[in-house]
Amino acid sequence: MSKSITILGSTGSIGKSTVDIIRRYPQQYQVKALTGNQNVSLLAEQAKLLNAELAVTANETKYAELKELLAGTSVRVAAGFQAVIDAAKEDADWTMSSIVGAAGLLPTMEVVKRGKTLALANKETLVCAGEIVMQAVKEYKTTLIPVDSEHSAIFQTLEEKHRNALDRILLTASGGPFREKDIAFMEKVTPEQAVAHPNWSMGAKISVDSATMMNKGLEIIEACHLFNVGVDQIEVLVHPQSIVHSAVGYKDGSVLAHMGMPDMRTPIAYALAYPDRMESPTAKLDLTKMSGLTFFAPDEKRFPALRLAKECQKKGQTATAVMNAANEVAVGAFFNRKIGFLDIVSTVQKVVEMSPLDPVSTIQDVIRVDNEARKTANNLLQKG
Ligand code: NAD
Ligand code: MG
């Protein structure tokens, strides 16, 4: 029996890796919907390659172009953000959520509500609405498989039968391109330097998040929601080689670590085959070729995003939603060369301090908080 698949954000880094796996097994997967944003030529190419039923661009002004690119095929075409949400409602057995940022929240919620399998790369969904989303996952009996490499590693090593014996989660971090750089250097880095990640090839926003280590902050929050643990049970461990993807420590002293090459096609293949395992095109890990695996405690002075994320998680979902939205605005301003690299996290910190943190209970509340935080961040940046 073939599995029906939807990829939300198929034209991005995770989306392309997902396409690269499923294109190898045309008999096993039948593609319902692919969604993208600006890059409609890639979207059309993917839709043809995979013989998709539906191709959607989030950008309404790209409708005619996409339609033209897919003329003469049987692929249905739609455009606009609502069309992305509608694509998420299509009845696929397995859906990859790999839109970047809080834009992934509403489409991901639609996937959850269908009660099938959600492969979740879009960590911002859990950062801004983790409690609401995890509650819905329970209610709709959705199978949620994390795709973020660390969370896939934890998912694979955290034994349900030994949950009571869990001592801590060791969340590994590469440390990003500025791991060894001082503040004076970081003050002057350019977007080009910030996106040049040493181990992983990723989308632009997550690359900057890795450089500020906000990515690890987002991942702490993501792990709290996915594995129902408190921030104090999570230890961040800088591991520059990105071979140990994370580990779980038990009360008896055992530490179960997950290893592999830094290639997202491994966690994607894990999510795709779950509960089985499948071949993936990832290179095999050869430990004899590893010159030495090293581990360090993170430096929260140079990377204040870690402390900020933990504080926000302790304050609750409103604070993490504000933090996430402010980070998206600040990263955008950094790309536009309006602010410096170190201003990213300091802006986020200020926006969190300035924002009222009334509790949220619905996705609409979260979206309101997200919009307000974006306004606050933009006002702050305009004042300079
Ligand atoms: P990317 O920027 O390469 O791709 C983003 C995708 O989202 C594209 O398909 C784009 O068209 C789509 N998109 C962007 N804005 C949109 C909008 N407003 N509405 C609808 N679609 C929109 O990003 P990526 O690196 O693939 O990351 C995607 C998600 O996966 C992020 O949440 C990221 O944190 C997470 N993730 C990525 C990696 C990685 O290796 N790239 C690893 C772990 C987790
Ligand atoms: Mg990760």
Side-chain angles (χ1 to χ4, degrees), residues 121 123 147-152 171-173 200 202 206 210 215-216 219 222 245-246 264:
K123 64 191 87 182
V147 171
D148 213 345
S149 57
E150 297 78 1
H151 304 73
S152 176
L171 186 70
T172 52
W200 301 92
M202 310 182 285
I206 183 177
S210 297
N215 182 51
K216 214 45 57 180
E219 289 185 359
E222 182 185 15
H245 296 306
S246 276
M264 289 308 292

Side-chain angles (χ1 to χ4, degrees), residues 7-17 35-39 46 56-59 80-81 84 96-104 107 120-125 147-150 200-207 209 215 218-219 222 263-264:
I7 307 174
L8 304 171
S10 65
T11 55
S13 166
I14 292 287
K16 284 189 279 188
S17 294
T35 82
N37 195 23
Q38 313 290 21
N39 192 350
Q46 292 177 329
V56 182
T57 163
N59 185 339
F81 190 61
V84 173
M96 168 59 78
S97 161
S98 55
I99 290 172
V100 60
L120 184 65
N122 174 237
K123 64 191 87 182
E124 293 91 346
T125 278
V147 171
D148 213 345
S149 57
E150 297 78 1
W200 301 92
S201 153
M202 310 182 285
K205 189 249 177 192
I206 183 177
S207 297
D209 285 346
N215 182 51
L218 302 177
E219 289 185 359
E222 182 185 15
D263 182 333
M264 289 308 292

Side-chain angles (χ1 to χ4, degrees), residues 23-211:
R23 74 178 172 84
R24 293 162 197 261
Y25 307 96
Q27 305 303 324
Q28 289 179 37
Y29 306 111
Q30 166 215 336
V31 175
K32 284 257 167 199
L34 299 177
T35 82
N37 195 23
Q38 313 290 21
N39 192 350
V40 285
S41 47
L42 176 60
L43 180 61
E45 204 181 290
Q46 292 177 329
K48 284 193 237 173
L49 174 74
L50 300 175
N51 199 14
E53 289 174 25
L54 172 67
V56 182
T57 163
N59 185 339
E60 269 172 39
T61 67
K62 299 263 177 185
Y63 177 77
E65 196 183 337
L66 182 61
K67 186 90 186 147
E68 172 70 27
L69 286 162
L70 288 168
T73 71
S74 61
V75 185
R76 281 185 291 134
V77 171
F81 190 61
Q82 183 56 46
V84 173
I85 296 175
D86 292 341
K89 291 182 188 168
E90 297 258 331
D91 185 31
D93 299 322
W94 188 94
T95 305
M96 168 59 78
S97 161
S98 55
I99 290 172
V100 60
L105 176 59
L106 285 173
T108 304
M109 262 316 265
E110 291 303 333
V111 179
V112 171
K113 286 194 222 157
R114 287 192 289 101
K116 298 276 180 69
T117 301
L118 165 64
L120 184 65
N122 174 237
K123 64 191 87 182
E124 293 91 346
T125 278
L126 290 180
V127 175
C128 59
E131 281 169 33
I132 299 167
V133 172
M134 293 309 288
Q135 186 54 43
V137 164
K138 233 193 236 163
E139 187 181 334
Y140 293 94
K141 300 190 170 53
T142 310
T143 305
L144 170 54
I145 315 292
V147 171
D148 213 345
S149 57
E150 297 78 1
H151 304 73
S152 176
I154 298 161
F155 187 84
Q156 293 178 54
T157 48
L158 182 56
E159 304 169 303
E160 219 27 68
K161 62 178 182 209
H162 292 143
R163 266 312 292 251
N164 293 338
L166 173 70
D167 176 38
R168 62 199 168 134
I169 287 175
L170 298 170
L171 186 70
T172 52
S174 70
F178 310 135
R179 181 175 59 86
E180 292 185 307
K181 303 296 187 195
D182 60 19
I183 298 274
F185 179 93
M186 287 199 272
E187 228 160 36
K188 296 194 178 70
V189 302
T190 62
E192 291 74 18
Q193 287 170 302
V195 296
H197 196 277
N199 306 344
W200 301 92
S201 153
M202 310 182 285
K205 189 249 177 192
I206 183 177
S207 297
V208 173
D209 285 346
S210 297

